[in-house]
Amino acid sequence: MKFYGITGTAYNLMRSYLANRYQRTRINKLSSTWECVNHGVSQGSVLGPLLFLIYINDFPSAINKLASSVLFADDTSIIISNTNPEEFKNSTILVMNEIIEWFQSNLLSLNCNKTTFLQFLTKKNEIAFQITTTNSIITSINSTKFWGILIDSTLSWSDHIVSLTSKLNKACYAIQMVKSCMSLDVLRMIYFSYVHSVIAYGIIFCGNSHSSTTIFKIQKRIIRVTNNFGRRDSCRKLFKELKILPLASQYIFSILVFVNKNRELFLSNSDNHGINTRYNQNLHMPSTKLTMVQKGVLFSGSRTYNCLPSRI
């Protein structure tokens, strides 16, 4: 804490809070002896998460020359990228060595049972190799959950959409069970609470996936159920009456909001060249032929933003 400028009374207060603590384990009527806690913080304490974040705050600096890291509470993701397969392997090994060294220096241990490795791929670029630590092999996986979104190795978002399908089917069933005793306004509130919140979260990533049509079909079914319409009845007018955006429209709206809020991530044509052309103020389109990149947020966001009327 002194390293981060916490001194004086605040430091002494925190020191007295952490020092001379004892704990023991109790199972049924048997108890272990009391032992002094020399490292760590009290389990379940309010200050515990804050102190842990302070403790690991310098972790990114240990690997920032070789990789980038994303920290969220006690969940850490490390991103390594390289176009050369051999350099990628070497970088991965070096990063793991740096991680293990940092853990040992800070009296921590890497839980290999909860550590996984996900390799992002195009169709034929998988690099076959294993990541090993002192005593274990890091498990290679095809998908993982990151901040509530299932990310797969090809960024097809199929696993995430399967997860959404299950949640939305449950919401559809719940609305069907209560619709007989609820007004349309209340059902609309239920829709935004249990359906819209699920659809809108992360839609800028998976909204243009070929698998997203499944989500749209469930959305239409929920709208029909809410209004007692038949399976084959058109629900286009219902979307307008309920003031609910269809999936495709919600995707366009969400990605435009993202671009507007994060303009610093996007270059305009005027930033890329000094020629005063007709499309000078349009966002610069990244040059790529990969479908994976074209469906990404930067490319799709730029293309959608450029389609807006100039008066907006």
Side-chain angles (χ1 to χ4, degrees):
M1 287 189 289
K2 285 183 176 179
F3 179 80
Y4 294 109
I6 302 174
T7 58
T9 303
Y11 173 80
N12 292 330
L13 179 65
M14 297 300 292
R15 183 180 177 85
S16 66
Y17 170 75
L18 294 171
N20 298 319
R21 282 187 173 272
Y22 289 80
Q23 68 179 23
R24 66 175 179 176
T25 302
R26 183 180 179 88
I27 302 175
N28 296 326
K29 295 182 180 181
L30 298 176
S31 301
S32 65
T33 58
W34 289 99
E35 296 289 342
C36 183
V37 180
N38 296 317
H39 309 290
V41 295
S42 302
Q43 292 293 315
S45 62
V46 175
L47 285 175
L50 175 62
L51 293 172
F52 177 77
L53 290 176
I54 294 173
Y55 191 69
I56 66 169
N57 189 59
D58 66 324
F59 173 71
S61 62
I63 59 171
N64 60 8
K65 292 182 180 179
L66 300 168
S68 57
S69 57
V70 180
L71 274 67
F72 183 75
D74 61 344
D75 187 16
T76 302
S77 300
I78 299 166
I79 303 169
I80 306 168
S81 60
N82 202 302
T83 55
N84 184 292
E86 289 303 319
E87 290 182 6
F88 175 73
K89 290 181 183 180
N90 294 334
S91 295
T92 304
I93 294 170
L94 288 173
V95 168
M96 284 304 302
N97 291 338
E98 291 290 342
I99 290 171
I100 292 170
E101 184 179 342
W102 185 89
F103 269 68
Q104 291 174 346
S105 300
N106 289 274
L107 304 176
L108 296 172
S109 60
L110 180 66
N111 188 342
C112 294
N113 294 326
K114 293 184 178 181
T115 304
T116 55
F117 168 64
L118 174 63
Q119 189 176 165
F120 293 105
L121 313 167
T122 54
K123 290 183 179 179
K124 297 180 180 180
N125 72 336
E126 183 175 5
I127 302 171
F129 80 110
Q130 287 183 328
I131 302 175
T132 58
T133 61
T134 307
N135 300 313
S136 303
I137 298 174
I138 303 299
T139 305
S140 180
I141 57 174
N142 293 319
S143 67
T144 187
K145 182 172 282 189
F146 183 71
W147 291 2
I149 298 176
L150 278 170
I151 304 175
D152 60 271
S153 59
T154 58
L155 297 181
S156 66
W157 308 105
S158 54
D159 291 346
H160 182 63
I161 288 173
V162 168
S163 175
L164 293 187
T165 300
S166 175
K167 293 178 182 178
L168 293 175
N169 281 329
K170 291 176 182 177
C172 182
Y173 177 78
I175 290 174
Q176 195 164 17
M177 290 297 101
V178 302
K179 69 175 183 179
S180 59
C181 56
M182 298 287 181
S183 67
L184 188 59
D185 288 339
V186 174
L187 288 174
R188 186 174 179 273
M189 291 174 60
I190 293 173
Y191 172 88
F192 277 99
S193 298
Y194 291 95
V195 179
H196 175 79
S197 59
V198 172
I199 290 176
Y201 183 69
I203 194 173
I204 62 173
F205 304 109
C206 64
N208 62 350
S209 167
H210 69 276
S211 304
S212 62
T213 53
T214 305
I215 304 301
F216 183 45
K217 289 177 181 177
I218 300 174
Q219 185 190 29
K220 290 193 292 184
R221 186 166 78 240
I222 293 171
I223 295 297
R224 291 189 181 104
V225 166
T226 303
N227 291 268
N228 293 313
F229 271 43
R231 291 178 59 186
R232 297 187 179 277
D233 293 335
S234 173
C235 54
R236 182 176 296 181
K237 195 176 291 185
L238 293 177
F239 278 108
K240 293 181 180 179
E241 291 175 357
L242 295 172
K243 296 181 179 179
I244 293 173
L245 290 175
L247 180 70
S249 300
Q250 182 64 52
Y251 166 74
I252 293 171
F253 175 75
S254 297
I255 203 165
L256 287 174
V257 170
F258 176 83
V259 174
N260 189 55
K261 288 184 176 180
N262 299 274
R263 280 291 277 109
E264 70 279 1
L265 299 177
F266 298 83
L267 291 174
S268 64
N269 286 333
S270 59
D271 296 327
N272 200 47
H273 61 75
I275 304 171
N276 188 19
T277 63
R278 183 186 305 176
Y279 304 108
N280 201 33
Q281 298 305 314
N282 280 8
L283 296 183
H284 178 67
M285 300 289 293
S287 178
T288 180
K289 293 183 179 180
L290 282 175
T291 304
M292 181 191 296
V293 179
Q294 291 176 355
K295 288 191 173 184
V297 175
L298 290 178
F299 191 95
S300 297
S302 300
R303 181 173 55 191
T304 307
Y305 193 86
N306 290 340
C307 291
L308 286 174
S310 57
R311 66 179 181 275
I312 296 180

Short mmCIF file of all heavy atoms in Angstrom, two decimals, residues 137-165:
data_model
loop_
_atom_site.label_atom_id
_atom_site.label_comp_id
_atom_site.label_asym_id
_atom_site.label_seq_id
_atom_site.Cartn_x
_atom_site.Cartn_y
_atom_site.Cartn_z
N ILE A 137 -0.87 -29.06 -17.51
CA ILE A 137 -1.12 -28.61 -18.88
C ILE A 137 -2.36 -27.73 -18.88
O ILE A 137 -3.40 -28.12 -18.34
CB ILE A 137 -1.31 -29.81 -19.83
CG1 ILE A 137 -0.03 -30.66 -19.88
CG2 ILE A 137 -1.67 -29.33 -21.24
CD1 ILE A 137 -0.18 -31.93 -20.70
N ILE A 138 -2.26 -26.57 -19.48
CA ILE A 138 -3.41 -25.67 -19.55
C ILE A 138 -4.41 -26.23 -20.57
O ILE A 138 -4.04 -26.53 -21.70
CB ILE A 138 -2.99 -24.24 -19.96
CG1 ILE A 138 -1.95 -23.69 -18.98
CG2 ILE A 138 -4.19 -23.32 -20.04
CD1 ILE A 138 -2.42 -23.58 -17.56
N THR A 139 -5.66 -26.36 -20.17
CA THR A 139 -6.69 -26.95 -21.03
C THR A 139 -7.02 -26.02 -22.19
O THR A 139 -7.26 -24.82 -22.01
CB THR A 139 -7.97 -27.22 -20.21
OG1 THR A 139 -7.64 -28.03 -19.09
CG2 THR A 139 -9.01 -27.92 -21.07
N SER A 140 -7.05 -26.59 -23.39
CA SER A 140 -7.44 -25.84 -24.58
C SER A 140 -8.94 -26.00 -24.79
O SER A 140 -9.47 -27.12 -24.74
CB SER A 140 -6.68 -26.35 -25.80
OG SER A 140 -7.04 -25.63 -26.96
N ILE A 141 -9.65 -24.90 -25.02
CA ILE A 141 -11.11 -24.94 -25.15
C ILE A 141 -11.53 -24.27 -26.46
O ILE A 141 -10.74 -23.58 -27.11
CB ILE A 141 -11.79 -24.23 -23.97
CG1 ILE A 141 -11.30 -22.78 -23.84
CG2 ILE A 141 -11.58 -25.00 -22.68
CD1 ILE A 141 -12.01 -21.97 -22.79
N ASN A 142 -12.79 -24.48 -26.84
CA ASN A 142 -13.33 -23.89 -28.06
C ASN A 142 -14.22 -22.68 -27.80
O ASN A 142 -14.54 -21.93 -28.73
CB ASN A 142 -14.12 -24.94 -28.85
CG ASN A 142 -13.23 -26.03 -29.39
OD1 ASN A 142 -12.13 -25.78 -29.87
ND2 ASN A 142 -13.68 -27.27 -29.31
N SER A 143 -14.65 -22.50 -26.57
CA SER A 143 -15.47 -21.33 -26.23
C SER A 143 -15.34 -21.05 -24.74
O SER A 143 -15.03 -21.94 -23.95
CB SER A 143 -16.94 -21.56 -26.59
OG SER A 143 -17.51 -22.58 -25.79
N THR A 144 -15.60 -19.80 -24.38
CA THR A 144 -15.53 -19.39 -22.97
C THR A 144 -16.48 -18.24 -22.72
O THR A 144 -16.87 -17.53 -23.66
CB THR A 144 -14.09 -18.96 -22.60
OG1 THR A 144 -14.00 -18.73 -21.20
CG2 THR A 144 -13.69 -17.68 -23.34
N LYS A 145 -16.89 -18.08 -21.48
CA LYS A 145 -17.79 -16.97 -21.12
C LYS A 145 -16.96 -15.79 -20.64
O LYS A 145 -16.11 -15.92 -19.76
CB LYS A 145 -18.77 -17.40 -20.03
CG LYS A 145 -19.76 -16.32 -19.66
CD LYS A 145 -20.85 -16.82 -18.72
CE LYS A 145 -21.90 -17.60 -19.48
NZ LYS A 145 -23.07 -17.92 -18.63
N PHE A 146 -17.21 -14.64 -21.25
CA PHE A 146 -16.47 -13.43 -20.92
C PHE A 146 -17.48 -12.31 -20.69
O PHE A 146 -18.17 -11.88 -21.61
CB PHE A 146 -15.52 -13.05 -22.06
CG PHE A 146 -14.65 -11.85 -21.78
CD1 PHE A 146 -13.62 -11.91 -20.87
CD2 PHE A 146 -14.90 -10.65 -22.43
CE1 PHE A 146 -12.82 -10.81 -20.61
CE2 PHE A 146 -14.10 -9.54 -22.19
CZ PHE A 146 -13.06 -9.62 -21.28
N TRP A 147 -17.61 -11.88 -19.42
CA TRP A 147 -18.57 -10.85 -19.04
C TRP A 147 -19.98 -11.20 -19.51
O TRP A 147 -20.72 -10.35 -20.02
CB TRP A 147 -18.16 -9.49 -19.56
CG TRP A 147 -16.94 -8.94 -18.89
CD1 TRP A 147 -16.17 -9.55 -17.93
CD2 TRP A 147 -16.31 -7.68 -19.14
NE1 TRP A 147 -15.14 -8.76 -17.56
CE2 TRP A 147 -15.18 -7.60 -18.29
CE3 TRP A 147 -16.58 -6.63 -20.01
CZ2 TRP A 147 -14.34 -6.49 -18.26
CZ3 TRP A 147 -15.74 -5.53 -19.99
CH2 TRP A 147 -14.64 -5.45 -19.12
N GLY A 148 -20.38 -12.46 -19.37
CA GLY A 148 -21.75 -12.86 -19.70
C GLY A 148 -21.96 -13.20 -21.16
O GLY A 148 -23.08 -13.54 -21.55
N ILE A 149 -20.92 -13.13 -21.99
CA ILE A 149 -21.05 -13.44 -23.41
C ILE A 149 -20.18 -14.65 -23.73
O ILE A 149 -19.00 -14.69 -23.38
CB ILE A 149 -20.63 -12.24 -24.29
CG1 ILE A 149 -21.54 -11.04 -24.02
CG2 ILE A 149 -20.66 -12.60 -25.76
CD1 ILE A 149 -21.14 -9.79 -24.77
N LEU A 150 -20.77 -15.64 -24.39
CA LEU A 150 -20.01 -16.83 -24.79
C LEU A 150 -19.26 -16.54 -26.09
O LEU A 150 -19.87 -16.27 -27.12
CB LEU A 150 -20.96 -18.02 -24.98
CG LEU A 150 -21.38 -18.76 -23.71
CD1 LEU A 150 -22.50 -19.73 -24.00
CD2 LEU A 150 -20.20 -19.51 -23.10
N ILE A 151 -17.93 -16.60 -26.01
CA ILE A 151 -17.09 -16.33 -27.17
C ILE A 151 -16.50 -17.65 -27.65
O ILE A 151 -15.89 -18.39 -26.88
CB ILE A 151 -15.95 -15.36 -26.81
CG1 ILE A 151 -16.53 -14.06 -26.21
CG2 ILE A 151 -15.09 -15.04 -28.03
CD1 ILE A 151 -15.46 -13.10 -25.73
N ASP A 152 -16.68 -17.97 -28.94
CA ASP A 152 -16.12 -19.20 -29.49
C ASP A 152 -14.88 -18.88 -30.32
O ASP A 152 -14.62 -17.72 -30.66
CB ASP A 152 -17.16 -19.95 -30.32
CG ASP A 152 -17.68 -19.14 -31.48
OD1 ASP A 152 -18.68 -18.40 -31.29
OD2 ASP A 152 -17.10 -19.22 -32.56
N SER A 153 -14.15 -19.91 -30.69
CA SER A 153 -12.85 -19.73 -31.32
C SER A 153 -12.92 -19.11 -32.72
O SER A 153 -11.96 -18.50 -33.18
CB SER A 153 -12.11 -21.07 -31.41
OG SER A 153 -12.89 -22.00 -32.15
N THR A 154 -14.06 -19.25 -33.40
CA THR A 154 -14.20 -18.68 -34.76
C THR A 154 -15.04 -17.41 -34.77
O THR A 154 -15.34 -16.88 -35.84
CB THR A 154 -14.83 -19.71 -35.71
OG1 THR A 154 -16.11 -20.10 -35.19
CG2 THR A 154 -13.94 -20.94 -35.85
N LEU A 155 -15.44 -16.94 -33.60
CA LEU A 155 -16.28 -15.75 -33.46
C LEU A 155 -17.56 -15.85 -34.29
O LEU A 155 -18.03 -14.87 -34.88
CB LEU A 155 -15.49 -14.49 -33.87
CG LEU A 155 -14.26 -14.15 -33.01
CD1 LEU A 155 -13.59 -12.88 -33.52
CD2 LEU A 155 -14.65 -14.00 -31.55
N SER A 156 -18.13 -17.06 -34.31
CA SER A 156 -19.41 -17.26 -35.00
C SER A 156 -20.58 -16.94 -34.09
O SER A 156 -21.71 -16.77 -34.55
CB SER A 156 -19.53 -18.71 -35.48
OG SER A 156 -19.62 -19.59 -34.37
N TRP A 157 -20.34 -16.88 -32.78
CA TRP A 157 -21.32 -16.56 -31.75
C TRP A 157 -22.43 -17.61 -31.65
O TRP A 157 -23.48 -17.35 -31.05
CB TRP A 157 -21.93 -15.16 -31.98
CG TRP A 157 -20.88 -14.12 -32.15
CD1 TRP A 157 -20.51 -13.52 -33.33
CD2 TRP A 157 -20.03 -13.57 -31.14
NE1 TRP A 157 -19.49 -12.62 -33.11
CE2 TRP A 157 -19.18 -12.63 -31.78
CE3 TRP A 157 -19.92 -13.76 -29.77
CZ2 TRP A 157 -18.22 -11.90 -31.08
CZ3 TRP A 157 -18.97 -13.04 -29.07
CH2 TRP A 157 -18.13 -12.14 -29.73
N SER A 158 -22.21 -18.78 -32.23
CA SER A 158 -23.25 -19.82 -32.21
C SER A 158 -23.52 -20.31 -30.79
O SER A 158 -24.69 -20.54 -30.42
CB SER A 158 -22.84 -20.99 -33.11
OG SER A 158 -21.56 -21.49 -32.75
N ASP A 159 -22.48 -20.48 -29.97
CA ASP A 159 -22.67 -20.93 -28.59
C ASP A 159 -23.44 -19.90 -27.79
O ASP A 159 -24.31 -20.25 -26.97
CB ASP A 159 -21.32 -21.19 -27.93
CG ASP A 159 -20.61 -22.41 -28.50
OD1 ASP A 159 -21.27 -23.18 -29.22
OD2 ASP A 159 -19.40 -22.57 -28.26
N HIS A 160 -23.14 -18.63 -28.00
CA HIS A 160 -23.84 -17.56 -27.28
C HIS A 160 -25.31 -17.52 -27.68
O HIS A 160 -26.19 -17.34 -26.83
CB HIS A 160 -23.18 -16.21 -27.56
CG HIS A 160 -23.81 -15.07 -26.84
ND1 HIS A 160 -23.81 -14.97 -25.46
CD2 HIS A 160 -24.48 -13.96 -27.28
CE1 HIS A 160 -24.44 -13.87 -25.09
NE2 HIS A 160 -24.85 -13.25 -26.18
N ILE A 161 -25.59 -17.72 -28.95
CA ILE A 161 -26.98 -17.68 -29.42
C ILE A 161 -27.76 -18.88 -28.90
O ILE A 161 -28.95 -18.77 -28.57
CB ILE A 161 -27.01 -17.60 -30.96
CG1 ILE A 161 -26.55 -16.20 -31.39
CG2 ILE A 161 -28.39 -17.90 -31.52
CD1 ILE A 161 -26.36 -16.01 -32.86
N VAL A 162 -27.10 -20.03 -28.77
CA VAL A 162 -27.76 -21.19 -28.16
C VAL A 162 -28.15 -20.86 -26.71
O VAL A 162 -29.24 -21.21 -26.25
CB VAL A 162 -26.83 -22.42 -28.22
CG1 VAL A 162 -27.37 -23.54 -27.34
CG2 VAL A 162 -26.69 -22.91 -29.64
N SER A 163 -27.25 -20.19 -26.00
CA SER A 163 -27.53 -19.79 -24.62
C SER A 163 -28.69 -18.80 -24.56
O SER A 163 -29.58 -18.91 -23.71
CB SER A 163 -26.27 -19.16 -24.00
OG SER A 163 -26.53 -18.65 -22.72
N LEU A 164 -28.72 -17.83 -25.49
CA LEU A 164 -29.81 -16.86 -25.54
C LEU A 164 -31.13 -17.55 -25.86
O LEU A 164 -32.18 -17.18 -25.32
CB LEU A 164 -29.52 -15.79 -26.59
CG LEU A 164 -28.37 -14.82 -26.35
CD1 LEU A 164 -28.36 -13.74 -27.42
CD2 LEU A 164 -28.45 -14.18 -24.98
N THR A 165 -31.08 -18.52 -26.75
CA THR A 165 -32.30 -19.24 -27.14
C THR A 165 -32.98 -19.87 -25.93
O THR A 165 -34.19 -19.79 -25.76
CB THR A 165 -31.96 -20.33 -28.19
OG1 THR A 165 -31.39 -19.70 -29.33
CG2 THR A 165 -33.20 -21.10 -28.60
#
